[in-house]
Amino acid sequence: METSVLRHPLIARTVAEIVADGGGRVEYDTGGGGREVLIAASAELAATTDAPLVIVESRVLHAEIRSLISELQPGLSSAVLSADEAALQPAGSISGVLAVHADVLRDPAVRQPLLQMARSADHLIVARHDYSDTTLDSLAAPAHELRLHDLVPRVTATPRPGVRERRQAAMPPRAIPSGLRELVAAHWASIERKWRAIDQLNQEAPDGERGFVDYEEHAELLQNTNPDEVKQRIERLRERAETRSAPHRHQHAPHVHPQDQSAAHQQHGPQGMGHT
């Protein structure tokens, strides 16, 4: 979890709206900052209303959650529970702000206790994926969506020459949060390495074969491959092209009957053999 994600305008607005509404639900794509929104909104709402905060999340994330809360709302008192721990709490014992990630509801045994807990809380905030359990949806309203295509500026699916300039024009450095920016930068860096591999092969090719590898014609070479594999596949394409073109190079050559060829050898001697 990174606080930098919370600086994205759409994510920051979602947090502000949930706090202003006193609760709600965020439905998000993986990598869309849903967990950060859940923690940031619940911590800010608890601090604003001076209410206790209880967060129910997977146990493996508890340390990260506590660290994020201490960074966002220093001194805020909160409890971070697993679904099993939350299910053991007495009915009606939870008040204040309750934040739940719906993935913990995969276990049917915890759904009813958490539903009772949600009903007793003063404020409920839920984060969920499209495939998460919907038990708490009716209590966590209004709903907000965070989709990756809204968070990351759309780019051309098939890169073309001048890809670096197109990327910089489409995605200025501060257009996306650093957490997502590294992923996008790594993707484009990989594409640029493959482009350089194609350029190098074209430069090393004989004059008659310059431009043999055309991006539009061989764009599939750049999909899910590394530069070494690109080189190998291009070399195989060149070999097949040479094999196909070999008959065409000789199809207009005059047919020489073996007897005529023998006569030509006798007439021209060794010099004639050197030109066959």
Side-chain angles (χ1 to χ4, degrees):
M1 296 185 184
E2 295 185 13
T3 55
S4 61
V5 171
L6 298 169
R7 291 195 289 271
H8 189 287
L10 179 55
I11 293 177
R13 184 167 70 247
T14 301
V15 171
E17 290 174 352
I18 291 175
V19 172
D21 292 334
R25 180 175 77 255
V26 56
E27 301 176 5
Y28 71 103
D29 294 332
T30 299
R35 280 190 163 89
E36 285 85 352
V37 169
L38 178 70
I39 305 308
S42 61
E44 184 174 344
L45 184 57
T48 302
T49 59
D50 194 24
L53 170 62
V54 175
I55 299 174
V56 183
E57 249 284 23
S58 173
R59 191 184 303 275
V60 297
L61 296 173
H62 287 189
E64 287 188 64
I65 292 172
R66 293 189 181 98
S67 176
L68 186 59
I69 291 174
S70 64
E71 184 175 353
L72 296 173
Q73 298 291 338
L76 179 67
S77 177
S78 62
V80 185
L81 307 176
S82 66
D84 292 338
E85 293 170 336
L88 296 176
Q89 303 300 312
S93 62
I94 299 298
S95 61
V97 180
L98 174 64
V100 181
H101 196 291
D103 280 2
V104 303
L105 298 171
R106 291 173 182 169
D107 182 1
V110 305
R111 291 174 188 165
Q112 191 60 34
L114 284 177
L115 182 59
Q116 294 177 356
M117 183 182 297
R119 287 171 174 160
S120 68
D122 299 321
H123 306 277
L124 175 64
I125 301 176
V126 173
R128 67 185 300 275
H129 298 294
D130 290 338
Y131 53 80
S132 299
D133 185 85
T134 61
T135 297
L136 301 181
D137 281 13
S138 61
L139 299 178
H144 305 266
E145 289 190 352
L146 291 175
R147 304 302 178 189
L148 285 179
H149 61 75
D150 294 325
L151 297 172
V152 180
R154 193 168 299 170
V155 296
T156 304
T158 303
R160 301 176 183 275
V163 64
R164 183 184 297 275
E165 291 74 14
R166 290 173 179 270
R167 179 191 65 180
Q168 291 175 345
M171 294 181 300
R174 295 183 181 178
I176 53 178
S178 61
L180 297 176
R181 193 182 307 140
E182 282 81 2
L183 296 178
V184 175
H187 168 72
W188 282 102
S190 175
I191 290 178
E192 289 173 357
R193 286 197 300 271
K194 295 165 189 175
W195 253 111
R196 287 196 296 270
I198 287 180
D199 290 341
Q200 182 179 356
L201 284 170
N202 276 326
Q203 292 172 4
E204 294 175 352
D207 290 341
E209 295 181 5
R210 294 290 171 87
F212 170 81
V213 182
D214 177 73
Y215 183 83
E216 290 294 335
E217 183 179 0
H218 302 291
E220 70 276 5
L221 294 175
L222 301 186
Q223 302 302 318
N224 301 320
T225 57
N226 58 47
D228 291 337
E229 185 177 346
V230 170
K231 290 183 179 180
Q232 294 173 4
R233 294 181 62 187
I234 291 175
E235 289 170 357
R236 289 197 295 270
L237 282 173
R238 180 178 287 125
E239 291 172 358
R240 288 200 297 270
E242 291 175 350
T243 302
R244 289 195 301 268
S245 63
H248 299 288
R249 289 200 298 265
H250 300 289
Q251 62 182 357
H252 300 297
H255 179 71
V256 180
H257 191 277
Q259 293 180 354
D260 296 336
Q261 185 177 16
S262 176
H265 290 175
Q266 293 176 1
Q267 180 179 357
H268 296 290
Q271 183 179 0
M273 294 180 62
H275 293 280
T276 60

